[in-house]
Amino acid sequence: MNLIDLEDAGGNRCVVRVSGRSQPGVLTGHDILQADVLVSASFVDARLELYILQQDLDTWQHDLAQLAPGKGATIGGDRGLSLDFFMHEDRTLSLTVQDPDRMNIALGIAPEETWIQDHHQRLDQVRETWPSEVVETAPMAYEWRSNRRG
């Protein structure tokens, strides 16, 4: 399921495809989602691995809601791979993909006008498919939520 799917007429594309839980049934890894980041342009065709925490989804949701010319949005972060989006005045995006172990890529994408609304829906679909089912009751102490599905 694609959490992020941005493409333009020039063939520049960035996809964050969530494939599932990192460690299903294991309290410390159950809510961590495993994803592939696919970046393609005339000069690059990369596939990178990203682990998404529930806090990453919260940050992405907040950033999308606030995104406007001159502002940015991020997913990933200080644990490794990160994707940083910056919106220009003409509403095009600069995307920086930083993987400290492999590469840094910068490219421009001119997405369709409705991409932000589309990505709010994508985020909702990811949260419906893989809801948060673990709660941290104290530092490094976890338990299942009472409304856990499975």
Side-chain angles (χ1 to χ4, degrees):
M1 174 177 300
N2 292 349
L3 172 65
I4 297 173
D5 192 344
L6 293 170
E7 184 174 20
D8 67 16
N12 298 326
R13 187 167 190 202
C14 176
V15 174
V16 175
R17 184 166 296 142
V18 179
S19 56
R21 296 185 184 277
S22 174
Q23 297 175 326
V26 178
L27 277 170
T28 55
H30 184 80
D31 277 354
I32 299 170
L33 301 178
Q34 190 168 353
D36 289 319
V37 177
L38 310 167
V39 180
S40 58
S42 61
F43 60 92
V44 67
D45 189 12
R47 180 179 181 173
L48 305 165
E49 196 170 70
L50 176 66
Y51 291 92
I52 302 172
L53 304 178
Q54 293 298 315
Q55 301 93 294
D56 296 332
L57 296 177
D58 295 342
T59 299
W60 179 240
Q61 181 176 19
H62 175 268
D63 288 356
L64 276 178
Q66 304 297 318
L67 195 59
K71 296 194 175 189
T74 300
I75 193 157
D78 57 356
R79 298 174 319 276
L81 181 68
S82 70
L83 287 83
D84 297 300
F85 301 86
F86 179 82
M87 183 181 283
H88 298 278
E89 291 298 322
D90 64 359
R91 304 193 66 80
T92 60
L93 297 174
S94 289
L95 167 62
T96 305
V97 179
Q98 298 178 9
D99 184 342
D101 295 332
R102 294 187 199 127
M103 67 178 77
N104 288 333
I105 303 168
L107 63 118
I109 298 178
E112 293 189 19
E113 293 246 347
T114 59
W115 80 269
I116 293 176
Q117 296 85 347
D118 176 51
H119 281 75
H120 279 292
Q121 292 172 350
R122 291 176 182 282
L123 176 60
D124 290 344
Q125 289 173 337
V126 166
R127 287 184 189 240
E128 279 180 32
T129 304
W130 298 287
S132 175
E133 295 181 335
V134 176
V135 63
E136 188 171 4
T137 56
M140 304 300 291
Y142 304 92
E143 66 182 40
W144 297 111
R145 291 187 188 273
S146 60
N147 62 347
R148 182 173 182 236
R149 286 192 210 168

